């Protein structure tokens, strides 16, 4: 493989690694948020189960439980998207490395 081609591939690999690193950082942030909303939902559910006042239960559901569950579900979908992006960018990095080492597609 010609040195200029190899250099260009390695430069491209660096770009892919940088993008993957950004995705990894976002993934970790979302993972923490997902865990937080899991706790919030669980705690709210436990409080509701321990409460006998229907008016208070409805208030808690409306104010906390429903928004927490919605946010949790939203974060679950987003983390799946991020996982897919991580896989794709890792494939780019792996393929570029392979081509750079062997010199063949």
């Amino acid at each position: 493989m010609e040195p200029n081609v190899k250099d260009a591939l390695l430069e491209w690999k660096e770009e892919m690694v940088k993008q993957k690193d950004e995705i990894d950082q976002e993934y970790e942030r979302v993972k923490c948020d997902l865990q937080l909303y899991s706790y919030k939902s669980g705690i709210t559910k436990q409080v509701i189960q321990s409460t006998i006042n229907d008016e208070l239960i409805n208030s808690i559901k409306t104010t906390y439980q429903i928004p927490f569950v919605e946010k949790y579900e939203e974060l679950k979908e987003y983390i799946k998207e991020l996982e897919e992006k991580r896989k794709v960018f890792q494939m780019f990095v792996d393929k570029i490395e392979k081509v750079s080492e062997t010199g063949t597609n």
Side-chain angles (χ1 to χ4, degrees):
M1 178 180 294
E2 294 180 27
N4 62 334
V5 173
K6 189 169 187 169
D7 290 345
L9 284 173
L10 293 177
E11 185 178 316
W12 188 32
K13 176 186 161 194
E14 288 174 17
E15 290 175 29
M16 294 295 117
V17 168
K18 183 180 176 186
Q19 288 185 354
K20 185 182 175 296
D21 287 345
E22 290 172 4
I23 293 167
D24 287 342
Q25 290 173 1
E26 178 70 1
Y27 178 88
E28 290 303 319
R29 185 193 65 76
V30 172
K31 184 177 165 185
C32 288
D33 287 350
L34 189 60
Q35 185 178 26
L36 173 63
Y37 278 94
S38 174
Y39 286 129
K40 285 181 174 185
S41 296
I43 291 167
T44 304
K45 184 178 180 180
Q46 290 173 1
V47 169
I48 288 171
Q49 290 173 343
S50 300
T51 304
I52 56 173
N53 183 322
D54 287 339
E55 186 177 318
L56 191 53
I57 289 172
N58 289 333
S59 176
I60 291 170
K61 283 182 178 180
T62 304
T63 306
Y64 300 107
Q65 187 182 32
I66 293 170
F68 290 163
V69 170
E70 288 173 352
K71 184 67 174 181
Y72 178 79
E73 293 300 322
E74 178 183 312
L75 290 169
K76 266 181 33 178
E77 288 301 313
Y78 186 45
I79 208 162
K80 286 178 186 177
E81 292 174 22
L82 290 172
E83 287 172 350
E84 183 64 23
K85 287 181 181 180
R86 290 170 78 189
K87 288 177 190 175
V88 167
F89 280 94
Q90 187 60 52
M91 281 192 285
F92 268 113
V93 171
D94 293 344
K95 298 290 183 186
I96 294 168
E97 283 178 354
K98 184 178 177 182
V99 169
S100 296
E101 291 171 2
T102 63
T104 60
N105 290 340

